Amino acid sequence: MKKQRIKEVIVVEGRYDRNMLLQVVDATVVETGGFSVFNDREKLNFLRRLAEKRGLILLTDSDGAGFVIRNYLKGALPKEHIKQAYIPDMPGKERRKRKPGKEGKLGVEGMSPQVLLEALRRSGATFADESPTMEKNAITKADLLEKGLIGPGSVARRQALLRELSLPAHLTPNALLEALNILFTLGEFDAQFFGDNNQM
């Protein structure tokens, strides 16, 4: 099955949900880390910026815990940039688990690709028919290397940039590259952080 490309950033609860979705769609998928998002101001700021730049689709489990997370994010993020995707209530347990969850419902990771795609379609997700291509002015790993953000001695510089952008401190270089390409073109990135008046 060919992966469907989606413009919006999809927000899920955990890594197994993210892994499942990435088998189905070509999209940026961000995990909340479950309830830890309630105390993670950096993650919330990051989600807010992604919402304003690309729009978000909230896709949480259909159990009570999933709705607590969804309702928290609905209240904390700009409503006009959020779409809601809901999976159906289906009894069962995920293969990796020994026993079902408290409410006995399948979560996002337990849904079939068809069910996930239908949930995203119903949410109003923006599907793109064209195959993914890198924009000419996209930021690349070579740009990060040239600017000293990856490679030997780059950790302090990268941490400074993450602080400047209010991004989570634990972002890997690959995740940083993805975030930068969502937030900036190469020209905007150069001008803001590496222009004449700004020596990162």
Side-chain angles (χ1 to χ4, degrees):
M1 182 171 93
K2 184 179 176 234
K3 287 188 192 182
Q4 300 279 323
R5 191 171 180 218
I6 292 177
K7 170 187 166 276
E8 293 88 356
V9 175
I10 304 170
V11 180
V12 295
E13 292 178 51
R15 66 185 168 126
Y16 293 103
D17 301 329
R18 181 175 187 273
N19 292 344
M20 181 60 197
L21 263 181
L22 290 176
Q23 294 173 40
V24 180
V25 294
D26 175 11
T28 302
V29 183
V30 177
E31 8 172 326
T32 66
F35 290 143
S36 70
V37 74
F38 298 160
N39 300 310
D40 191 340
R41 194 168 282 162
E42 285 181 337
K43 175 69 68 74
L44 206 54
N45 287 338
F46 182 47
L47 290 173
R48 193 171 288 120
R49 296 188 64 189
L50 292 176
E52 289 165 358
K53 196 79 175 180
R54 288 256 298 271
L56 293 183
I57 298 173
L58 299 183
L59 180 59
T60 62
D61 292 350
S62 61
D63 60 5
F67 273 83
V68 168
I69 293 168
R70 182 188 293 272
N71 290 332
Y72 172 75
L73 292 175
K74 271 168 51 177
L77 299 170
K79 288 178 180 53
E80 65 275 15
H81 299 299
I82 292 178
K83 295 175 179 177
Q84 304 287 338
Y86 299 99
I87 58 170
D89 277 349
M90 293 173 72
K93 74 168 190 66
E94 284 77 16
R95 269 183 277 169
R96 71 179 174 87
K97 295 180 178 173
R98 287 211 299 243
K99 57 182 188 173
K102 197 157 71 169
E103 296 178 36
K105 298 175 184 177
L106 284 174
V108 169
E109 69 170 287
M111 294 290 131
S112 70
Q114 294 76 15
V115 168
L116 291 172
L117 282 173
E118 184 56 30
L120 291 166
R121 276 201 186 88
R122 284 196 313 261
S123 77
T126 310
F127 286 84
D129 294 325
E130 73 276 2
S131 58
T133 54
M134 183 159 274
E135 295 175 34
K136 275 189 271 186
N137 60 352
I139 303 162
T140 65
K141 277 199 166 173
D143 295 313
L144 297 188
L145 186 62
E146 179 190 316
K147 294 171 188 343
L149 293 167
I150 57 173
S154 62
V155 175
R157 230 171 140 77
R158 194 164 58 250
Q159 289 298 318
L161 179 64
L162 290 169
R163 279 193 300 277
E164 176 82 17
L165 292 173
S166 299
L167 292 175
H170 59 274
L171 275 190
T172 63
N174 284 340
L176 171 62
L177 183 62
E178 189 174 50
L180 290 175
N181 274 305
I182 291 169
L183 299 169
F184 305 101
T185 64
L186 178 58
E188 290 167 346
F189 181 58
D190 278 339
Q192 186 158 350
F193 299 101
F194 297 93
D196 295 335
N197 301 326
N198 193 333
Q199 300 302 313
M200 257 309 285

